[in-house]
Amino acid sequence: ELTQAEHELHGRNYKSARNDALSAKQEAIRARNMAMAISQAKDAMAEADKIGALSQATRDWLAQAETAAAAGNEDLAVHDAQQAMQLAQDDVRHFNEERQRAAQENQDWLDKAKPLLEEARQATARMSSLQQEALRRAEEAYQQGEGQKSYNLADFIVTEVRALPPEPPPAPRV
């Protein structure tokens, strides 16, 4: 339409040239709006993808936005791009919430393992070499922040240690 406006100007048909120029301007504004919305959605999606949180639903909304933009449907393109952007932000939020929940759960396991490890250490002298190795692995898992693994091993060892006969009292000194 801009080319048409230029052609009308050369032909001194100013009213038609003005109408064609306004139409071209409106088309450019629509194209800019669609491009901005899609660009913002892609930026949000890149953040989600960077941490491995991008969902297929988010990708689908962007694909719909791009299809609508290619068809020149500004309202649908902008709407779908905004949906994609919102979903990408939700993807990141859900990912962070899950990571935080998992970290808390791991800390809970570590907190439960600590007293068991302390109890097991006190019985080291009565343990078999296999039990001592299991204790070493439990302590290693604890040091590496592997909460559930550390707890499971420590629980196993303490159960075994509690089943051992008590240590005989020291012989009286004569």
Side-chain angles (χ1 to χ4, degrees):
E1 297 201 28
L2 189 55
T3 304
Q4 183 63 29
E6 290 172 344
H7 180 69
E8 297 289 342
L9 271 176
H10 287 305
R12 297 182 187 257
N13 190 350
Y14 298 118
K15 186 172 182 178
S16 290
R18 183 179 186 281
N19 288 339
D20 289 341
L22 287 174
S23 181
K25 177 183 173 185
Q26 290 171 341
E27 185 62 33
I29 290 170
R30 283 194 297 277
R32 182 204 63 191
N33 291 343
M34 291 185 287
M36 283 178 48
I38 290 172
S39 176
Q40 290 170 345
K42 285 183 175 183
D43 289 347
M45 290 172 68
E47 289 298 313
D49 195 36
K50 183 169 61 174
I51 61 172
L54 187 60
S55 68
Q56 185 59 47
T58 304
R59 288 184 180 97
D60 293 345
W61 276 104
L62 179 66
Q64 288 175 220
E66 290 174 330
T67 299
N73 188 336
E74 176 188 8
D75 291 339
L76 186 59
V78 170
H79 173 268
D80 290 355
Q82 288 172 340
Q83 286 295 115
M85 183 176 74
Q86 182 62 52
L87 280 176
Q89 291 167 344
D90 291 347
D91 291 342
V92 169
R93 184 174 43 78
H94 292 144
F95 178 84
N96 288 334
E97 288 170 354
E98 176 56 28
R99 188 169 54 183
Q100 186 176 17
R101 188 205 57 74
Q104 182 58 53
E105 181 180 332
N106 188 61
Q107 185 59 52
D108 292 346
W109 284 113
L110 289 169
D111 292 345
K112 288 169 60 175
K114 186 175 183 177
L116 294 176
L117 290 170
E118 290 169 1
E119 182 179 343
R121 280 187 212 106
Q122 293 175 4
T124 304
R126 298 180 2 219
M127 290 183 194
S128 70
S129 60
L130 288 174
Q131 290 167 332
Q132 288 178 11
E133 175 60 19
L135 175 59
R136 185 196 65 72
R137 288 181 32 228
E139 289 176 328
E140 182 179 287
Y142 185 86
Q143 294 302 320
Q144 292 176 355
E146 299 176 62
Q148 189 170 11
K149 179 179 179 181
S150 176
Y151 173 81
N152 289 341
L153 287 167
D155 185 54
F156 170 76
I157 297 160
V158 167
T159 300
E160 293 275 317
V161 166
R162 288 176 183 166
L164 292 174
E167 208 171 333
R173 292 185 173 184
V174 220

